[in-house]
Amino acid sequence: MMNLLEKNRIWLAVFILMAFLISVPFFASDYWVALLVLILIFTVYASGWNLFSGLTGYTNFGLAWFIGVSGYVSSLLIADYQWVWLLAWPIGALFVSGVSIGVGYILLRIRGVYFAISMVALTEGTRELFGTGYLEPITHGGEGVPFVAGVRLPILYWSTLLLAFVTLIVCYKITSSKFGLRLMAIREDEQAAETLGIHTTRDKIIAFVLSAFIVGLAGAIHCTYQNYIDPTSAFNIQLTLTPIVMTLFGGVGTVFGPVIGATLFTFIHEILWAELTLLYMAIFGAILMGLILFFPQGLLGWMKEKGILPRSRKI
Amino acid sequence: MINFIEILIRGLMLGSVYALVGMGLTLVWGVVGIVNIAHGEFIMLGAYFAYWAFSLLHFNPLLSVALSIPFFFIFGMMIHKRITERLITAHELSALILTFGMSILIWNLAQFFWTNTYRSVPYLTGNFPVWGLVFAKSKTISFGLAIGISIALFVFLKYSKLGKGIRATSQNSEVALVCGINTMKMRAVTFGMGIGLAGAAGAIVSLQWVIFPQMGGSYVSKAFAIVVLGGLGNIQGALVGGLIIGVLESLVTQYMSAKMAQIVPSLIILLILLLRPTGLFKK
């Protein structure tokens, strides 16, 4: 009985929070809605990164590649072929997850640092390729594509909210499922996992492609939100780095850590960017170093250690 | 034909500097076990070191190259003792993310203090002809310096007592420790040497190209390609790998486009990791 009440209380809290978030565009100014869109987009980036890297231990330094490829496909569909945004976004995400099957099949054989480097190489290579004259008829070269998708801010906000909500449910379900356990087994000891009969390659690729789809969807929305795309901004290393820092702060491998990290860091970004434009990135680098040295388990990991939160995979 | 030979030699000269960068990275990675993404930023600092020594103190740039090695050696040792030594036992990806943060911190501080202005050291400008081929003076000097430093490094690692200790640490850190080698000191010295090589490479780079705070990134991606080509921790492999990358870049720039040349390192990393993950040479 107690347990049931506890469970219902949590669902009630979720319900109230969602109701509040849905109603935000009716009373808040555009500034706050736009800020919330960014928070939600980065929540999805961070959760998407965490879904693959946090669980399997394969550090993905190519998040910007997911974002850039999906952003390019969807933006070009909207700009050059006058597609509706609602259709262009999933097509972009489907495209990048389709390519990710191949990429994952090839690159996920490489372990540890080499995997991280090869994803960086893939991102850098694709960025340069999209800016060359060879692909100019399709990508418009290095100067980028401005476009108007014709989606109003509240609609954009609600779509992002829906995406973030679904992403969190997916992450929650996966982390508490057997599939999630298998991924964590890969993280702890891939060889041992394989000897126990886990089809490691298949599971890794599924997680990788799922992460690509989620992040790709958010990436497409992000590009529409900015009404502009060019290789340097779409494949920017900062798009890889920021979600990683957010996840590290919140707690790698936790479900709600990325949300906390994304919310906090988007606010920090908003404040620091306005006040200290030039030093902002330097502070960011210093925070990243400090997190690794002094706070490697993240906020939620620390709270679990101290007994403030139960040691459950589901949080 | 003359043109082709000239491009080839230009590529070798370019590659010798890349080799210096790659050797520093592979040394630190192989011996200390830390993947230093901030390696490129130390090249940038080395270049600025030479620049300020030239424009404020009117040092001869060649003297700056010589001074940059001990200066960055000590700098690197300090960084290792204070920061990276703590990560020796941690997961190798922790070091990767930490040095990533360090890289961002350093280049943004450089941008803050020195602004984004492109700078250069106007020294040894002009060309000289040899048998109908034309070479830039600064690049030829750079080539000599880079090869000289590489040879000195080989000799040091092969014959000196410290060099033997470093190699022992790289082969098996625990056994080396049991044999009475101070592996902690060896790691600090190696990290210092890696940073020293990066600083020297930067001082050499300042002779021939423009200097700006984000310059490190392009070198570090080439350095990774070199490490992957030569095999992890393989110094000779890194030298050959550097020359290969230099020649390829020179050829692609000439016959395709400069933009395509930027893709070469990424392509090499992907191809080698897929086809021959141990590098081109057997260790």
Coordinates of all heavy atoms in Angstrom, one line a residue, chain A residues 57 59 61 106-107 109-110 112-114 116-118 121 124-125 128-129 131-132 134 237 241 248 278-279 281-282 285-286 288-289 292-294, chain B residues 29 35 37 83 86-87 92-94 96-98 100-102 104-105 107-109 112 224 228 232 256-257 259-260 262-263 266 269-270 273-274:
Chain A
G57 N 30.0 2.5 -22.1 CA 31.4 2.9 -21.8 C 32.2 3.3 -23.1 O 33.4 3.6 -23.0
T59 N 33.1 6.0 -25.3 CA 32.9 7.4 -25.3 C 32.7 7.9 -26.8 O 33.6 7.8 -27.6 CB 34.2 8.1 -24.7 OG1 34.3 7.7 -23.4 CG2 34.0 9.6 -24.7
F61 N 32.7 10.7 -29.2 CA 33.1 12.1 -29.4 C 32.5 12.6 -30.7 O 33.0 13.6 -31.3 CB 34.6 12.2 -29.4 CG 35.1 12.6 -28.0 CD1 36.5 12.6 -27.8 CD2 34.3 12.9 -27.0 CE1 37.0 12.9 -26.5 CE2 34.8 13.2 -25.7 CZ 36.1 13.2 -25.5
I106 N 31.0 -0.7 -38.5 CA 32.4 -0.7 -38.8 C 33.2 -0.2 -37.6 O 34.2 -0.8 -37.2 CB 32.7 0.3 -40.0 CG1 32.0 -0.3 -41.3 CG2 34.1 0.5 -40.3 CD1 32.0 0.7 -42.4
L107 N 32.8 0.9 -37.0 CA 33.6 1.6 -36.0 C 33.5 0.9 -34.6 O 34.4 1.1 -33.8 CB 33.3 3.1 -35.9 CG 33.7 3.9 -37.1 CD1 33.5 5.4 -36.8 CD2 35.2 3.7 -37.4
R109 N 33.9 -1.9 -33.7 CA 34.9 -2.9 -33.4 C 36.1 -2.3 -32.7 O 36.9 -3.0 -32.1 CB 35.3 -3.5 -34.7 CG 34.2 -4.4 -35.4 CD 34.8 -5.0 -36.6 NE 35.1 -4.0 -37.6 CZ 35.8 -4.3 -38.7 NH1 36.2 -5.5 -39.0 NH2 36.1 -3.3 -39.6
I110 N 36.2 -1.0 -32.9 CA 37.4 -0.3 -32.3 C 37.0 0.1 -30.9 O 36.0 0.6 -30.6 CB 37.7 1.0 -33.1 CG1 37.8 0.6 -34.6 CG2 38.9 1.6 -32.7 CD1 37.8 1.8 -35.5
G112 N 37.8 1.7 -26.9 CA 38.4 2.8 -26.0 C 38.7 4.1 -26.7 O 37.9 4.6 -27.5
V113 N 39.9 4.5 -26.5 CA 40.3 5.8 -27.0 C 40.2 5.9 -28.6 O 39.8 6.9 -29.1 CB 41.8 6.1 -26.6 CG1 42.3 7.4 -27.2 CG2 41.9 6.2 -25.1
Y114 N 40.6 4.7 -29.2 CA 40.6 4.7 -30.7 C 39.2 5.0 -31.2 O 39.0 5.6 -32.2 CB 41.1 3.4 -31.2 CG 42.6 3.3 -31.1 CD1 43.2 2.4 -30.2 CD2 43.4 4.1 -31.8 CE1 44.5 2.3 -30.1 CE2 44.8 4.0 -31.7 CZ 45.3 3.1 -30.8 OH 46.7 3.0 -30.7
A116 N 36.9 6.8 -29.7 CA 36.6 8.2 -29.5 C 37.3 9.0 -30.7 O 36.7 9.9 -31.3 CB 37.1 8.7 -28.2
I117 N 38.5 8.7 -31.0 CA 39.3 9.4 -32.0 C 38.6 9.2 -33.4 O 38.5 10.2 -34.1 CB 40.7 9.0 -32.0 CG1 41.4 9.4 -30.7 CG2 41.5 9.6 -33.2 CD1 42.8 8.8 -30.6
S118 N 38.2 8.0 -33.6 CA 37.7 7.8 -35.0 C 36.4 8.5 -35.2 O 36.1 9.0 -36.3 CB 37.6 6.3 -35.3 OG 36.7 5.7 -34.3
A121 N 37.4 12.0 -35.9 CA 37.9 12.0 -37.3 C 36.7 12.0 -38.3 O 36.7 12.7 -39.3 CB 38.8 10.8 -37.6
E124 N 35.1 15.5 -38.2 CA 35.9 16.5 -38.8 C 35.9 16.3 -40.3 O 35.8 17.3 -41.1 CB 37.4 16.5 -38.3 CG 37.5 16.6 -36.8 CD 37.7 18.1 -36.4 OE1 38.7 18.7 -37.0 OE2 36.9 18.6 -35.6
G125 N 36.0 15.0 -40.7 CA 36.1 14.7 -42.1 C 34.8 15.1 -42.8 O 34.8 15.7 -43.9
E128 N 34.5 18.9 -43.2 CA 35.3 19.4 -44.3 C 34.7 19.1 -45.7 O 34.6 19.9 -46.6 CB 36.7 18.9 -44.2 CG 37.5 19.3 -43.0 CD 37.7 20.8 -43.0 OE1 37.7 21.5 -44.0 OE2 37.9 21.4 -41.8
L129 N 34.2 17.8 -45.7 CA 33.6 17.3 -47.0 C 32.4 18.2 -47.3 O 32.2 18.5 -48.5 CB 33.2 15.9 -46.8 CG 32.8 15.1 -48.1 CD1 34.1 14.9 -48.9 CD2 32.2 13.8 -47.7
G131 N 31.9 21.2 -46.8 CA 32.3 22.5 -47.2 C 33.0 22.6 -48.5 O 33.3 23.6 -49.0
T132 N 33.4 21.4 -49.1 CA 34.2 21.4 -50.3 C 33.3 21.7 -51.5 O 32.1 21.6 -51.5 CB 34.9 20.0 -50.5 OG1 33.8 19.0 -50.5 CG2 35.9 19.7 -49.5
Y134 N 33.1 19.8 -54.0 CA 32.5 18.6 -54.6 C 31.0 18.4 -54.2 O 30.3 17.9 -55.0 CB 33.3 17.4 -54.1 CG 34.7 17.4 -54.6 CD1 35.7 17.9 -53.8 CD2 35.1 17.0 -55.9 CE1 37.1 18.0 -54.2 CE2 36.4 17.0 -56.3 CZ 37.4 17.5 -55.5 OH 38.7 17.6 -55.9
I237 N 32.5 21.2 -32.6 CA 33.0 20.3 -31.5 C 32.3 20.6 -30.2 O 32.1 19.8 -29.3 CB 34.5 20.3 -31.4 CG1 35.0 19.2 -30.5 CG2 35.0 21.6 -30.9 CD1 35.2 17.9 -31.2
L241 N 30.9 18.4 -27.1 CA 31.5 18.6 -25.7 C 30.4 19.0 -24.7 O 30.4 18.4 -23.6 CB 32.5 19.8 -25.8 CG 33.1 20.2 -24.5 CD1 34.1 19.1 -24.2 CD2 33.8 21.5 -24.7
L248 N 28.4 14.5 -17.5 CA 29.4 14.2 -16.4 C 29.0 14.9 -15.1 O 29.1 14.3 -14.0 CB 30.8 14.8 -16.8 CG 31.6 14.0 -17.8 CD1 32.8 14.7 -18.1 CD2 32.0 12.7 -17.1
L278 N 34.1 36.4 -23.7 CA 35.4 35.9 -24.2 C 36.0 34.8 -23.3 O 36.6 33.9 -23.8 CB 36.4 37.1 -24.2 CG 36.2 38.1 -25.3 CD1 37.0 39.3 -25.1 CD2 36.5 37.4 -26.6
L279 N 35.7 34.9 -22.0 CA 36.2 33.9 -21.1 C 35.3 32.6 -21.0 O 35.7 31.7 -20.3 CB 36.5 34.5 -19.8 CG 37.9 35.1 -19.6 CD1 38.0 35.7 -18.3 CD2 39.0 34.1 -19.9
M281 N 34.3 30.1 -22.8 CA 34.8 28.8 -23.2 C 35.9 28.3 -22.2 O 36.1 27.2 -21.9 CB 35.3 28.8 -24.6 CG 34.2 28.7 -25.6 SD 33.5 27.1 -25.7 CE 34.7 26.2 -26.8
A282 N 36.8 29.3 -21.8 CA 37.9 28.9 -20.9 C 37.3 28.4 -19.6 O 37.8 27.4 -19.1 CB 38.8 30.1 -20.7
G285 N 36.1 24.9 -20.1 CA 37.2 23.9 -20.1 C 37.7 23.6 -18.7 O 37.9 22.5 -18.3
A286 N 37.8 24.7 -17.8 CA 38.3 24.5 -16.5 C 37.2 23.7 -15.7 O 37.6 22.8 -14.9 CB 38.4 25.9 -15.8
L288 N 35.3 21.4 -16.9 CA 35.4 20.1 -17.4 C 36.6 19.4 -16.6 O 36.4 18.2 -16.2 CB 35.6 20.1 -18.9 CG 35.6 18.8 -19.6 CD1 34.3 18.1 -19.3 CD2 35.7 19.0 -21.1
M289 N 37.7 20.1 -16.5 CA 38.9 19.5 -15.9 C 38.5 19.2 -14.4 O 38.9 18.1 -13.8 CB 40.1 20.4 -15.9 CG 40.7 20.5 -17.3 SD 42.0 21.7 -17.4 CE 43.2 21.0 -16.4
I292 N 36.4 16.1 -13.8 CA 37.1 14.8 -14.0 C 38.0 14.6 -12.7 O 38.0 13.5 -12.2 CB 37.9 14.8 -15.2 CG1 37.1 14.7 -16.5 CG2 38.9 13.7 -15.2 CD1 36.5 13.4 -16.7
L293 N 38.6 15.6 -12.2 CA 39.6 15.5 -11.1 C 38.9 15.2 -9.8 O 39.3 14.4 -9.0 CB 40.5 16.7 -11.1 CG 41.6 16.8 -12.1 CD1 42.4 18.0 -11.9 CD2 42.5 15.6 -12.0
F294 N 37.8 16.0 -9.5 CA 37.3 16.1 -8.2 C 35.9 15.5 -8.1 O 35.4 15.2 -7.0 CB 37.3 17.5 -7.6 CG 38.7 18.1 -7.7 CD1 38.9 19.2 -8.6 CD2 39.7 17.6 -7.0 CE1 40.1 19.8 -8.7 CE2 41.0 18.2 -7.1 CZ 41.2 19.3 -8.0
Chain B
W29 N 51.6 9.1 -25.0 CA 50.5 8.1 -25.0 C 51.1 6.7 -24.7 O 50.5 6.0 -23.9 CB 49.9 8.1 -26.4 CG 48.6 7.4 -26.6 CD1 48.1 6.5 -25.7 CD2 47.7 7.5 -27.6 NE1 46.9 6.0 -26.2 CE2 46.6 6.6 -27.4 CE3 47.7 8.3 -28.8 CZ2 45.5 6.5 -28.2 CZ3 46.6 8.1 -29.7 CH2 45.5 7.3 -29.4
V35 N 46.3 10.1 -23.3 CA 46.0 10.7 -24.6 C 45.9 12.2 -24.5 O 44.9 12.6 -24.0 CB 44.7 10.1 -25.2 CG1 44.6 10.5 -26.7 CG2 44.7 8.6 -25.1
I37 N 45.0 15.4 -25.7 CA 44.3 16.1 -26.7 C 44.8 17.6 -26.7 O 44.7 18.3 -27.7 CB 42.8 16.1 -26.5 CG1 42.3 14.6 -26.7 CG2 42.0 17.0 -27.5 CD1 40.9 14.4 -26.9
I83 N 48.6 17.5 -12.3 CA 47.3 17.1 -12.8 C 47.2 15.7 -13.3 O 46.5 14.9 -12.7 CB 46.8 18.1 -13.9 CG1 46.8 19.5 -13.4 CG2 45.5 17.7 -14.5 CD1 46.6 20.6 -14.4
R86 N 47.5 12.1 -11.4 CA 46.3 11.6 -10.6 C 45.5 10.7 -11.5 O 44.6 9.9 -10.9 CB 45.4 12.8 -10.3 CG 46.0 13.8 -9.3 CD 45.1 15.0 -9.5 NE 45.6 16.1 -8.6 CZ 45.0 16.6 -7.6 NH1 43.8 16.1 -7.3 NH2 45.5 17.6 -6.9
L87 N 45.6 10.7 -12.8 CA 44.7 9.9 -13.6 C 45.3 8.7 -14.1 O 44.7 7.9 -14.9 CB 44.3 10.8 -14.8 CG 43.4 12.0 -14.5 CD1 43.2 12.8 -15.7 CD2 42.1 11.6 -13.9
E92 N 41.1 5.3 -18.9 CA 41.9 6.1 -19.9 C 41.0 7.2 -20.5 O 41.5 8.2 -21.0 CB 42.5 5.2 -21.0 CG 41.6 4.5 -21.9 CD 42.3 3.7 -22.9 OE1 43.5 3.9 -23.1 OE2 41.6 2.9 -23.6
L93 N 39.7 7.0 -20.5 CA 38.8 8.0 -21.1 C 38.7 9.2 -20.2 O 38.4 10.3 -20.7 CB 37.5 7.4 -21.4 CG 37.5 6.3 -22.5 CD1 36.2 5.6 -22.5 CD2 37.8 6.9 -23.8
S94 N 39.0 9.1 -18.9 CA 39.0 10.2 -18.0 C 40.0 11.2 -18.5 O 39.8 12.4 -18.6 CB 39.3 9.8 -16.6 OG 38.5 8.8 -16.2
L96 N 41.3 11.5 -21.4 CA 40.9 12.0 -22.7 C 40.0 13.2 -22.5 O 40.2 14.3 -23.1 CB 40.1 10.9 -23.5 CG 39.9 11.1 -24.9 CD1 41.2 11.0 -25.6 CD2 38.9 10.1 -25.5
I97 N 39.0 13.1 -21.6 CA 38.1 14.2 -21.4 C 38.8 15.3 -20.6 O 38.6 16.5 -20.9 CB 36.8 13.7 -20.6 CG1 36.1 12.7 -21.5 CG2 35.9 14.9 -20.3 CD1 35.0 12.0 -20.8
L98 N 39.7 15.0 -19.7 CA 40.4 16.0 -19.0 C 41.3 16.9 -19.9 O 41.2 18.1 -19.9 CB 41.3 15.4 -17.9 CG 42.1 16.5 -17.1 CD1 41.5 16.6 -15.7 CD2 43.5 16.2 -17.1
F100 N 40.9 17.2 -23.0 CA 40.0 18.0 -23.9 C 39.7 19.3 -23.2 O 39.7 20.4 -23.8 CB 38.8 17.1 -24.1 CG 38.0 17.4 -25.3 CD1 38.6 17.9 -26.4 CD2 36.6 17.2 -25.3 CE1 37.9 18.1 -27.6 CE2 35.9 17.5 -26.5 CZ 36.6 17.9 -27.6
G101 N 39.3 19.2 -21.9 CA 39.0 20.5 -21.2 C 40.2 21.4 -21.1 O 40.1 22.6 -21.3
M102 N 41.4 20.8 -20.9 CA 42.6 21.6 -20.9 C 42.9 22.3 -22.2 O 43.2 23.5 -22.2 CB 43.8 20.6 -20.6 CG 45.1 21.3 -20.1 SD 46.5 20.2 -20.1 CE 46.2 19.1 -18.8
I104 N 40.7 23.3 -24.4 CA 39.7 24.4 -24.5 C 40.1 25.5 -23.6 O 40.1 26.7 -24.0 CB 38.3 23.9 -24.2 CG1 37.8 23.0 -25.3 CG2 37.4 25.0 -24.0 CD1 36.7 22.2 -24.9
L105 N 40.5 25.2 -22.4 CA 41.0 26.2 -21.4 C 42.2 27.0 -22.0 O 42.1 28.2 -22.1 CB 41.4 25.6 -20.1 CG 41.9 26.5 -19.1 CD1 40.9 27.4 -18.6 CD2 42.5 25.7 -17.9
W107 N 43.4 27.3 -25.2 CA 43.3 28.1 -26.4 C 42.4 29.3 -26.2 O 42.5 30.4 -26.8 CB 43.0 27.4 -27.7 CG 41.7 26.8 -28.0 CD1 41.3 25.5 -28.0 CD2 40.5 27.5 -28.5 NE1 40.0 25.3 -28.4 CE2 39.5 26.5 -28.7 CE3 40.2 28.8 -28.8 CZ2 38.2 26.8 -29.1 CZ3 38.9 29.1 -29.2 CH2 37.9 28.1 -29.4
N108 N 41.4 29.1 -25.3 CA 40.5 30.3 -25.0 C 41.2 31.3 -24.2 O 41.0 32.5 -24.4 CB 39.2 29.8 -24.4 CG 38.3 29.3 -25.4 OD1 37.7 30.0 -26.1 ND2 38.2 28.0 -25.5
L109 N 42.1 30.9 -23.3 CA 42.9 31.9 -22.5 C 43.8 32.6 -23.5 O 43.9 33.9 -23.4 CB 43.7 31.2 -21.4 CG 42.9 30.8 -20.2 CD1 43.8 30.2 -19.2 CD2 42.2 32.0 -19.6
F112 N 41.9 35.1 -25.3 CA 41.5 36.2 -24.5 C 42.6 37.2 -24.3 O 42.5 38.4 -24.4 CB 41.1 35.7 -23.1 CG 40.6 36.7 -22.1 CD1 39.4 37.3 -22.3 CD2 41.4 37.1 -21.1 CE1 39.0 38.3 -21.4 CE2 41.0 38.1 -20.2 CZ 39.7 38.7 -20.4
F224 N 47.3 12.7 -34.5 CA 46.6 11.5 -34.2 C 46.7 10.5 -35.4 O 46.9 9.3 -35.2 CB 45.1 11.7 -33.9 CG 44.9 12.0 -32.4 CD1 44.4 13.3 -32.0 CD2 45.1 11.1 -31.5 CE1 44.3 13.6 -30.7 CE2 45.0 11.3 -30.1 CZ 44.5 12.6 -29.7
V228 N 48.4 6.8 -35.2 CA 47.7 5.6 -35.7 C 48.5 5.0 -36.8 O 48.6 3.7 -36.9 CB 46.3 6.1 -36.2 CG1 45.6 4.9 -36.9 CG2 45.4 6.4 -35.0
L232 N 51.0 2.8 -31.9 CA 51.1 3.5 -30.6 C 52.5 3.3 -29.9 O 53.0 2.2 -29.8 CB 50.0 3.0 -29.7 CG 49.9 3.5 -28.3 CD1 49.8 5.0 -28.3 CD2 48.8 2.8 -27.6
M256 N 44.5 18.2 -56.0 CA 43.0 18.3 -55.8 C 42.7 19.7 -55.3 O 42.4 20.6 -56.0 CB 42.5 17.2 -54.8 CG 42.7 15.8 -55.5 SD 42.2 14.5 -54.4 CE 40.4 14.5 -54.6
S257 N 42.6 19.9 -53.9 CA 42.4 21.2 -53.4 C 42.8 21.2 -52.0 O 43.0 20.2 -51.3 CB 40.9 21.6 -53.5 OG 40.2 20.8 -52.5
K259 N 41.2 22.2 -49.5 CA 40.1 21.7 -48.6 C 40.1 20.2 -48.5 O 39.9 19.7 -47.4 CB 38.8 22.2 -49.2 CG 37.6 22.4 -48.3 CD 37.6 23.8 -47.6 CE 36.4 23.9 -46.7 NZ 36.7 24.0 -45.3
M260 N 40.4 19.6 -49.6 CA 40.5 18.1 -49.6 C 41.7 17.6 -48.7 O 41.6 16.6 -48.1 CB 40.7 17.5 -51.0 CG 39.4 17.5 -51.8 SD 38.0 16.7 -51.0 CE 38.4 15.0 -51.4
Q262 N 42.6 18.8 -46.0 CA 42.2 18.8 -44.6 C 41.5 17.4 -44.3 O 41.4 17.1 -43.1 CB 41.1 19.9 -44.4 CG 41.7 21.3 -44.8 CD 42.4 21.9 -43.6 OE1 41.9 22.0 -42.5 NE2 43.6 22.3 -43.9
I263 N 40.9 16.8 -45.3 CA 40.2 15.5 -45.0 C 41.2 14.4 -44.8 O 40.9 13.4 -44.2 CB 39.2 15.2 -46.1 CG1 38.3 16.4 -46.2 CG2 38.4 14.0 -45.8 CD1 37.2 16.3 -47.3
S266 N 41.8 12.7 -41.3 CA 40.6 11.9 -40.8 C 40.5 10.6 -41.6 O 40.2 9.6 -41.0 CB 39.4 12.8 -41.0 OG 39.5 14.0 -40.4
I269 N 43.1 8.1 -40.4 CA 42.8 7.5 -39.1 C 41.7 6.4 -39.3 O 41.9 5.3 -38.8 CB 42.2 8.6 -38.2 CG1 43.3 9.6 -37.8 CG2 41.6 8.0 -36.9 CD1 42.8 10.7 -36.9
L270 N 40.7 6.7 -40.0 CA 39.6 5.7 -40.2 C 40.1 4.5 -40.9 O 39.8 3.4 -40.5 CB 38.4 6.4 -41.0 CG 37.7 7.5 -40.2 CD1 36.6 8.2 -41.0 CD2 37.0 6.9 -38.9
L273 N 42.7 2.4 -38.8 CA 42.1 1.7 -37.7 C 41.2 0.6 -38.1 O 41.1 -0.4 -37.4 CB 41.2 2.7 -36.9 CG 41.9 3.7 -35.9 CD1 41.0 4.6 -35.2 CD2 42.8 2.9 -34.9
L274 N 40.7 0.7 -39.3 CA 39.8 -0.4 -39.8 C 40.7 -1.6 -40.4 O 40.4 -2.7 -40.1 CB 38.9 0.1 -40.8 CG 37.8 1.0 -40.3 CD1 37.0 1.5 -41.4 CD2 37.0 0.3 -39.3

